Amino acid sequence: MAGGPVGSASLADAVAPANPETAARPVHVDAPASPVDANASVDPADAVASASRADANVSAGPADVDALPSRADAVAPASPADAVASASRADANVSASPANVDAPPIPADADAPAGPRTPAGAPALGLVTIGQAPRADLRPDAEPLLPGVRLVEHGALDADRFDGDAEAATRRLLAPEDGEAPLISRLRDGRSVLLGHGALVPRIEDAVGRAERDGAAATLLLCTGRFPAVRSRRPLLFAEPLVQQAVAATVGTDPVGIVCPHPDQAEDVSQRWAQLLPGRVQAATADPYGPAERVLDDIAAAARTLADRGSSWLVLDCIGYTEQMRAAALRAAGRPVLLARAIAVRMAAEVVAASG
């Protein structure tokens, strides 16, 4: 999850297609249809509680990409008491290293479960996290949504050192500016790091380039923060507009509660979502990278607080939130819970399929 300039993101910005002749800058596509018909009504039994059904069928080619149509007029809000939160399980954070720096070999993560084997010739999706790869916390949720797709993971911080005497200097180098809403991500060892946008952009570009050299047909940037243009040669998807437009098409005018990781993000997150959604927006915080013994309780408490304040839908607005965390929030709040990682990975899978 991340902070950034205030203003809602267009779904058109979610896909930055690349033309081989103009790969130095992303190609802009038409903006999607406007969000939600406030007067539509749907029987709760038929309510769509999956943000992935915001209908972002993306067709991505090497030269251009048509904007994803919004289903704002097709999906109406559901009664929170009866809606079933069924946003699917996905999430795939990736990582990248500083520009012009070769990433060191990445050791296998002993905690990562052995996933299904993917044929060598299978289409590949690049997963670029703003932290370090591999992300053992992501694959269990992402792989069931990507059958037959080879995942290529890279991290923005893969070449940065967070050990010994180097750690303090690295954290200072990557820290947000004074007054900047921070980004937060996971390191390879499971710890978290607060980040600013300035130092990350060249590192992200390098990670995207490595994913493309590894055969990625498209790459998903696994962060729900806002970023400037990032150079790529193939379709590059930004999680934030994918998630925001999907949620907007699902919740209608209902009040929405946003869960984000860090207290310094809450104001920025509330403002960005309020510019997009017609209903009331409020935020609460719970760190997905916090101590394992209490992280589920913290997320449940944040979800319960938002429900008690009147939120009809909840959004876990960080790629770090898992399906297990979604389940904890759902039990605590009794409200449908939309999961950012699930939405973003589903949309990315569509782009890989469209690219052949």
Side-chain angles (χ1 to χ4, degrees):
M1 170 66 227
V6 173
S8 61
S10 165
L11 184 54
D13 297 331
V15 183
N19 187 315
E21 298 179 358
T22 59
R25 66 183 193 280
V27 179
H28 293 286
V29 294
D30 295 336
S34 60
V36 182
D37 186 341
N39 296 320
S41 62
V42 173
D43 184 85
D46 297 324
V48 179
S50 170
S52 63
R53 304 181 64 177
D55 194 19
N57 289 327
V58 182
S59 172
D64 57 19
V65 177
D66 291 335
L68 296 118
S70 167
R71 290 193 50 186
D73 296 329
V75 181
S79 168
D82 300 322
V84 178
S86 63
S88 52
R89 41 190 84 212
D91 174 355
N93 271 1
V94 191
S95 43
S97 65
N100 301 322
V101 177
D102 290 332
I106 298 173
D109 193 321
D111 296 327
R117 293 185 178 275
T118 303
L125 171 66
L127 299 176
V128 169
T129 178
I130 63 171
Q132 290 182 327
R135 289 286 302 263
D137 63 313
L138 297 173
R139 279 185 173 260
D141 288 344
E143 287 179 335
L145 300 174
L146 297 163
V149 175
R150 181 169 61 91
L151 300 183
V152 177
E153 294 190 56
H154 289 282
L157 309 184
D158 282 351
D160 290 288
R161 290 186 56 190
F162 291 87
D163 60 335
D165 295 339
E167 179 169 2
T170 300
R171 288 184 180 271
R172 285 194 299 270
L173 174 67
L174 298 171
E177 300 289 338
D178 291 343
E180 179 185 6
L183 304 160
I184 187 169
S185 191
R186 184 182 188 270
L187 299 177
R188 196 173 297 122
D189 62 9
R191 294 179 298 155
S192 63
V193 58
L194 289 179
L195 304 165
H197 291 74
L200 270 181
V201 171
R203 289 168 165 81
I204 291 171
E205 287 188 343
D206 184 70
V208 170
R210 285 185 277 125
E212 292 178 343
R213 290 193 294 274
D214 282 350
T219 300
L220 174 63
L221 178 58
L222 291 163
C223 179
T224 54
R226 187 162 304 168
F227 293 91
V230 174
R231 288 176 294 182
S232 67
R233 299 185 62 83
R234 296 173 192 153
L236 175 61
L237 308 176
F238 292 84
E240 185 197 49
L242 290 175
V243 172
Q244 285 193 337
Q245 295 295 329
V247 170
T250 302
V251 304
T253 59
D254 283 349
V256 176
I258 309 295
V259 181
C260 62
H262 198 276
D264 290 345
Q265 297 174 325
E267 181 179 358
D268 177 70
V269 165
S270 295
Q271 290 176 350
R272 286 190 284 124
W273 280 97
Q275 290 189 343
L276 177 72
L277 302 178
R280 184 165 62 97
V281 173
Q282 52 191 331
T285 61
D287 185 358
Y289 307 117
E293 65 273 13
R294 75 162 201 251
V295 65
L296 294 181
D297 289 340
D298 289 348
I299 290 169
R304 191 179 301 111
T305 295
L306 292 169
D308 290 345
R309 292 176 183 172
S311 295
S312 297
W313 297 79
L314 304 182
V315 180
L316 299 185
D317 188 22
C318 176
I319 296 297
Y321 294 121
T322 67
E323 285 289 350
Q324 185 181 25
M325 295 172 192
R326 188 226 295 263
L330 178 60
R331 287 193 301 268
R335 301 288 191 274
V337 181
L338 306 177
L339 184 64
R341 64 166 49 180
I343 299 168
V345 172
R346 281 185 178 276
M347 297 302 100
E350 182 65 21
V351 175
V352 172
S355 303

